[in-house]
Structures are given as structure tokens and as C-alpha cells.
Amino acid sequence: VTDTELELTGLGPAAAKTAKRAPDRREAICAAVFQLLGEVGYDRMTMDAIATRARASKATLYRTWPDKPGLVAEALTWRFGATPDAPDTGSLRGDLMALVSFACQISNSPDGEVMTGVMTAAARNPTLARTLYECTFESKQVLHETIVRRAVDRGELPSVTCAGLLHEVMHAMIIAHKLTSAEPMDEAYAAHVVDDVLIPVLANSAARSDRCEPPPDAA
Amino acid sequence: VTDTELELTGLGPAAAKTAKRAPDRREAICAAVFQLLGEVGYDRMTMDAIATRARASKATLYRTWPDKPGLVAEALTWRFGATPDAPDTGSLRGDLMALVSFACQISNSPDGEVMTGVMTAAARNPTLARTLYECTFESKQVLHETIVRRAVDRGELPSVTCAGLLHEVMHAMIIAHKLTSAEPMDEAYAAHVVDDVLIPVLANSAARSDRCEPPPDAA
């Protein structure tokens, strides 16, 4: 993978640097998948094109990832599977604004277009749907739990607040806005999501705590 | 359009009956568009296939609808543009359950698949996006205003409750669930949306009434 090719993907200098530092097969293939998802979309991306772009032999590619959904799942995990640190601004509203603003930034970026394309393909493909769930929900769960736990400790939310609702409703608002509205996803939009939707939903969730599953390793 | 062809579309007997009763060109063409959207999706549907399916001449088709986005917009309006009566169960929760359950039923039906496909195409097409907005939001606005106004009259909501939030948040929850979850959209899901999300958001909206635009013909 050349620098020029990486620049074309919109992955940015950080990803390009990573690819140069550890130019192993998996990274080159995952980067190629992301490039092609952005350029031609999920449905028109072929395994042959991925092999060519990654300068990998088809035998190598098919031996490790026999099908396209599995390979796209691998690339999604490589790109989005990490768990970022929870924002810690000292207030629930500050933490939620940081969280939602970051989600809006990703959604506005080329990565957001790729995610939208994969999401619509996932509606017809259980393997992709499962990976999207892991990358966007399971790996971010601890982040949402941390934000809610700190707010509970500060007395801003009732002690039984359901952190799962934060994820569910935030992502619903952002996904739907991305797909159905031409309005910008800017700071004013983030404030609308936080003040008009997320805070009221979280503040109320104590009343429905029977529906909230405890986190796996709740202290 | 034959009965067999209509049955294949999942439009159901009511639509078939309408098409037989008033077999004009517009209905036949719109029905053909919906059949093909369900069968091959937006991107692979051609104007030629629509003309063949509707037994219309290409000249007729292109004279009235010169492009595919305009034609799909016409078909969406034909199928989803009407404003249904507002449910009137005597309570806010009852009305919201009726509203959300109905939206879940459409989403679970073949029409829901067509809407999902068009929605993802609309992300790249302003004409489609505008029509989707008209069909799903503008034509349903009076419905949401009626439900909120009755709840305000019963003392269940503050007098400045923002009806626009009801639409925005309900559709976000349903669209995101449709695209990202394999869980059923059943009565339990509808109750979750109503009790855990919509009622808290509506009850809180008085605090943010500066963000709520008044309806065009508010009495």
C-alpha cells in the first residue's frame, strides 16, 4: 500500500503512519477494504479488487477470510473496535456533549459514509450485523457505563440509571439524522440530542430499572 | 398490472382492489415502481423495467417523470403520503402505543424493506430525501400535533410540549432498530420506546420550549 493510496482513503496521517510502522498483511488488507468500501461501496466491492489493492495473493486472502462479510467484519474491528477513554469534564452534560460531538464528527467524516454503507448492507447480512454491534456497542459499553457511574457519584443521576439506554438512544438519533436529514451535525445538533433527549431519558430511567440489565462486571 | 403481479408485491388486497377500481396510468406505474423496489432495490431498478412492468410506453413514462428519483418520489407519495386519523384511546400512553405499534408493523412488512432501501439511496439523493421527508414527516405532522394537544388538554403534558420531538425521536428509534438489530419490533419493543424514551422526552420538552417551532396553523 503506497502513501498515495492511503491518502486517497481519507484514513488520515495517523492510519498511514500505523500502516508504515507495522506493514503486516492484516493491516494492508484491512486498509484496502476501507479504501474500497469508500470508493465503490459494499455491494460492488469484490474479493479480487481487495487482493489487488492490498498487493496480496488471492490464495492468502481466501485462506484467512473465505468470504466478504467476514473480511469486512475484520476491517471494521481493525478500524472501530477499540474502546476510547471516557471523557471526564466534571459534569454529565459536559461528558455527554463530548461523547455526542465525537460521534457527530465521525459521522460527518468519510468513515461515516463507509459506516452508513456497511450498516445498510448489514440489514441483509447477520455476520456484518453482529460485527457492527460488537464494534459500535460492545466495545463502547464501558465508556457509557463510566460516564453514567461518574454522574451517579456526583448525584446528577439516580443510582439505578440504565447506561444501555444512553448508547441505544444516542446512536438512534445519529444514525437516523445521518440517513434522513441534510441539516448539519454540529454543536447545536449535539446540544439538542443531549439536552432534549439524552438527559431526560437518563434522568427517567430509574423509574424503569427493571428493564435495565446490569453490566457484566458491575462493581 | 395483473392480480398475480400485484400479489407478488406484498401490497395486499386493498392495494390490488384500488388498482382494479381505478386502473389509470399513474397507479399502474407507481405500483410497478414499488414492486421493482422490493424485488431489485433502488440502484438496480431501471426506467425500462418500470415501463415494461407497468405496460406503459417509455415515451409516456419519460414525458411525465424524466428521471428515476422523481418517479420514486411519486410512488412514495402515492403509497405513504396520506395522513391517517390520529389514534384516540383516551390516554397519552395509549395513543403513543397505537402510533408506535403501527410504525413497527409497517417496518416489519415488505413495505418496510422498500422504505429502508429508498432511505439509504436518499442519503445520496436530495430529491428522494425531500420526498421521504414530506411523506414521513410533513404529512404526519398533524397526527403528532393532535396526539400531543389531546394529552395537554387532559393535563398529561405541559401546555408548551413540542410535538416535533415526538416525530423525530420515534422515527430515529424505529429506523435505527430496523437497520442495526435483529430483535423483533413487537409490542414489548413498542412499550420500551413509549415508556423509556418518548414519554420522558415529551414530559421534559416544556423546559426547552424555545427550541420548539409552533405548528403552521396553531389555533
Side-chain angles (χ1 to χ4, degrees), chain B residues 8-54:
Chain B
L8 286 173
T9 66
L11 289 178
K17 201 169 154 191
T18 307
K20 270 197 283 192
R21 199 172 56 229
D24 69 3
R25 202 40 67 202
R26 175 173 178 266
E27 288 209 11
I29 289 173
C30 288
V33 169
F34 248 80
Q35 290 171 27
L36 289 165
L37 283 173
E39 289 169 19
V40 302
Y42 180 84
D43 285 334
R44 288 189 292 145
M45 181 175 72
T46 65
M47 294 291 274
D48 284 0
I50 295 164
T52 304
R53 183 68 63 98

Side-chain angles (χ1 to χ4, degrees), chain A residues 7-152:
Chain A
E7 278 164 21
L8 286 172
T9 66
L11 289 178
K17 203 169 151 191
T18 307
K20 269 197 283 191
R21 198 172 56 229
D24 70 2
R25 202 41 67 204
R26 176 174 177 264
E27 287 208 13
I29 289 173
C30 287
V33 169
F34 248 79
Q35 290 171 26
L36 289 164
L37 283 173
E39 289 170 19
V40 302
Y42 179 85
D43 285 335
R44 287 189 292 147
M45 180 175 72
T46 65
M47 294 292 274
D48 284 1
I50 296 163
T52 303
R53 182 68 63 100
R55 298 178 186 179
S57 76
K58 286 183 208 172
T60 302
L61 191 65
Y62 280 98
R63 196 163 49 234
T64 315
W65 296 284
D67 63 8
K68 194 165 76 166
L71 183 46
V72 172
E74 179 76 16
L76 282 175
T77 305
W78 168 74
R79 186 107 184 94
F80 292 113
T83 305
D85 289 337
D88 193 7
T89 65
S91 74
L92 174 62
R93 186 176 189 279
D95 288 355
L96 293 177
M97 279 299 293
L99 185 70
V100 175
S101 298
F102 182 66
C104 287
Q105 280 167 29
I106 291 179
S107 190
N108 285 332
S109 78
D111 280 355
E113 303 300 328
V114 171
M115 286 291 264
T116 305
V118 173
M119 193 177 298
T120 57
R124 304 183 302 270
N125 192 306
T127 304
L128 276 184
R130 176 70 207 157
T131 307
L132 265 179
Y133 182 80
E134 287 166 2
C135 287
T136 58
F137 181 72
E138 289 182 355
S139 70
K140 307 300 180 283
Q141 204 168 352
V142 64
L143 188 68
H144 303 135
E145 282 158 13
T146 302
I147 290 172
V148 165
R149 194 187 62 243
R150 285 177 183 152
V152 169

Side-chain angles (χ1 to χ4, degrees), chain B:
Chain B
V1 182
T2 67
D3 283 358
T4 311
E5 279 171 333
L6 275 170
E7 279 163 21
L8 286 173
T9 66
L11 289 178
K17 201 169 154 191
T18 307
K20 270 197 283 192
R21 199 172 56 229
D24 69 3
R25 202 40 67 202
R26 175 173 178 266
E27 288 209 11
I29 289 173
C30 288
V33 169
F34 248 80
Q35 290 171 27
L36 289 165
L37 283 173
E39 289 169 19
V40 302
Y42 180 84
D43 285 334
R44 288 189 292 145
M45 181 175 72
T46 65
M47 294 291 274
D48 284 0
I50 295 164
T52 304
R53 183 68 63 98
R55 297 181 186 178
S57 76
K58 286 182 208 173
T60 302
L61 192 64
Y62 280 98
R63 195 163 51 234
T64 316
W65 296 283
D67 64 9
K68 195 166 77 165
L71 183 46
V72 172
E74 178 75 17
L76 282 174
T77 305
W78 167 75
R79 186 108 184 95
F80 292 113
T83 305
D85 289 336
D88 193 7
T89 65
S91 74
L92 174 62
R93 185 175 190 280
D95 288 356
L96 292 177
M97 279 298 294
L99 185 70
V100 175
S101 299
F102 183 66
C104 287
Q105 280 167 30
I106 291 179
S107 190
N108 286 331
S109 77
D111 281 353
E113 304 299 329
V114 171
M115 286 292 264
T116 305
V118 173
M119 192 177 299
T120 57
R124 304 183 302 271
N125 192 305
T127 304
L128 276 184
R130 176 70 207 158
T131 306
L132 265 179
Y133 181 80
E134 287 167 2
C135 286
T136 59
F137 181 72
E138 288 182 356
S139 70
K140 307 301 181 282
Q141 205 169 351
V142 64
L143 189 68
H144 303 136
E145 282 159 11
T146 302
I147 289 173
V148 166
R149 194 185 62 240
R150 284 177 184 151
V152 169
D153 290 346
R154 283 187 298 257
E156 293 180 283
L157 287 174
S159 61
V160 291
T161 301
C162 180
L165 267 175
L166 168 54
H167 166 83
E168 180 190 3
V169 180
M170 179 183 81
H171 278 256
M173 295 296 291
I174 289 173
I175 289 168
H177 192 280
K178 176 81 181 169
L179 286 177
T180 63
S181 173
E183 299 292 312
M185 295 175 80
D186 53 12
E187 286 296 293
Y189 177 72
H192 163 62
V193 171
V194 168
D195 293 326
D196 300 340
V197 183
L198 293 181
I199 290 178
V201 164
L202 288 174
N204 171 76
S205 75
R208 311 287 306 177
S209 58
D210 54 314
R211 291 173 172 280
C212 184
E213 289 173 24
D217 294 306

Side-chain angles (χ1 to χ4, degrees), chain A residues 198-209:
Chain A
L198 294 181
I199 290 178
V201 164
L202 288 174
N204 173 75
S205 75
R208 312 287 307 175
S209 58

